């Protein structure tokens, strides 16, 4: 109805899920509400992505990116938003899903040879899984982008990530900056 799919996501869905998170933290809503909201957002994002795909012209890929939520972490809304934004900015995205062990990411990287690896973590208990994957990707000379609710720019630097993505647009802009360097 005249509203761009990107706007629906950035001005509607993302602020709404952030508000849900704040209300959950303040104990104004409870786990069933949080889960229901997350599921509704995932369905909304799927519809938006479908709309964006149908309106998208075929174009050459800017590069390939493997995305994964680190082992032990079952949260993937943020990763899914990043995947949608990367796809809609011309990147080929291979989404490995949630709770992905470093060994699987490494095996897929060996097979696919992506331009970038993107890692997500929402919890302090799972963010500690990122360094293992980064170490493996350094050996393969594949840059790693990290993000998630508990990830900070300082932590990203400390663990040797090539890029800290605080949100989906930072991930897109970062990928656009990394790839020309890598491809030259």
């Amino acid at each position: 109805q005249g509203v761009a799919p990107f706007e629906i996501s950035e001005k509607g869905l993302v602020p709404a899920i952030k508000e849900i998170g704040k209300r959950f933290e303040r104990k104004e809503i409870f786990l069933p509400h949080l889960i229901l909201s997350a599921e509704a957002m995932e369905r909304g994002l799927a519809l938006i992505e479908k709309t964006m795909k149908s309106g998208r012209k075929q174009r050459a890929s800017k590069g390939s990116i493997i995305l994964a939520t680190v082992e032990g972490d079952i949260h993937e809304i943020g990763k899914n938003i990043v995947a949608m934004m990367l796809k809609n900015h011309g990147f080929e995205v291979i989404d490995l899903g949630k709770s992905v062990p470093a060994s699987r990411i490494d095996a897929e990287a060996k097979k696919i040879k992506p331009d970038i690896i993107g890692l997500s973590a929402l919890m302090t208990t799972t963010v500690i899984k990122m360094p293992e994957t980064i170490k493996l990707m350094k050996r393969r000379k594949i840059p790693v982008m990290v993000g998630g609710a508990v990830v900070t720019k300082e932590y990203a630097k400390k663990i040797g990530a090539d890029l800290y993505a605080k949100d989906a647009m930072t991930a897109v802009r970062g990928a656009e900056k990394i790839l020309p360097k890598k491809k030259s």
Side-chain angles (χ1 to χ4, degrees), residues 87-129:
K87 288 176 190 175
N88 287 290
H89 280 82
F91 294 94
E92 176 191 353
V93 175
I94 301 94
D95 187 343
L96 300 182
K98 56 191 173 187
S99 192
V100 184
S103 59
R104 176 159 178 239
I105 296 167
D106 188 47
E108 294 295 326
K110 181 180 179 182
K111 182 170 69 176
I112 296 168
K113 297 179 179 39
D115 296 302
I116 300 173
I117 298 289
L119 302 176
S120 173
L122 182 76
M123 304 180 306
T124 54
T125 55
T126 58
V127 74
I128 59 172
K129 296 291 187 171

Side-chain angles (χ1 to χ4, degrees), residues 16-141:
I17 202 71
K18 284 181 179 178
E19 179 62 26
I20 291 294
K22 288 175 189 174
R23 289 181 184 191
F24 180 72
E25 288 173 351
R26 293 190 306 251
K27 298 185 182 355
E28 295 173 5
I29 63 168
F30 302 98
L31 191 57
H33 305 107
L34 185 68
I35 292 169
L36 186 61
S37 298
E39 289 172 352
M41 181 164 180
E42 285 181 356
R43 285 193 299 273
L45 287 172
L47 287 171
I48 289 170
E49 185 172 5
K50 190 175 175 183
T51 302
M52 292 174 101
K53 275 184 185 174
S54 66
R56 200 184 309 152
K57 295 175 185 157
Q58 288 289 53
R59 59 182 175 219
S61 172
K62 289 182 179 179
S64 61
I65 302 174
I66 288 179
L67 291 181
T69 300
V70 296
E71 184 174 15
D73 204 316
I74 59 165
H75 304 90
E76 61 179 350
I77 290 175
K79 176 187 60 67
N80 292 347
I81 293 169
V82 169
M84 181 183 70
M85 293 304 296
L86 287 166
K87 288 176 190 175
N88 287 290
H89 280 82
F91 294 94
E92 176 191 353
V93 175
I94 301 94
D95 187 343
L96 300 182
K98 56 191 173 187
S99 192
V100 184
S103 59
R104 176 159 178 239
I105 296 167
D106 188 47
E108 294 295 326
K110 181 180 179 182
K111 182 170 69 176
I112 296 168
K113 297 179 179 39
D115 296 302
I116 300 173
I117 298 289
L119 302 176
S120 173
L122 182 76
M123 304 180 306
T124 54
T125 55
T126 58
V127 74
I128 59 172
K129 296 291 187 171
M130 286 181 166
E132 180 184 356
T133 304
I134 290 171
K135 185 178 175 184
L136 293 170
M137 294 308 105
K138 293 284 183 201
R139 281 194 252 146
R140 295 198 181 284
K141 297 182 177 19

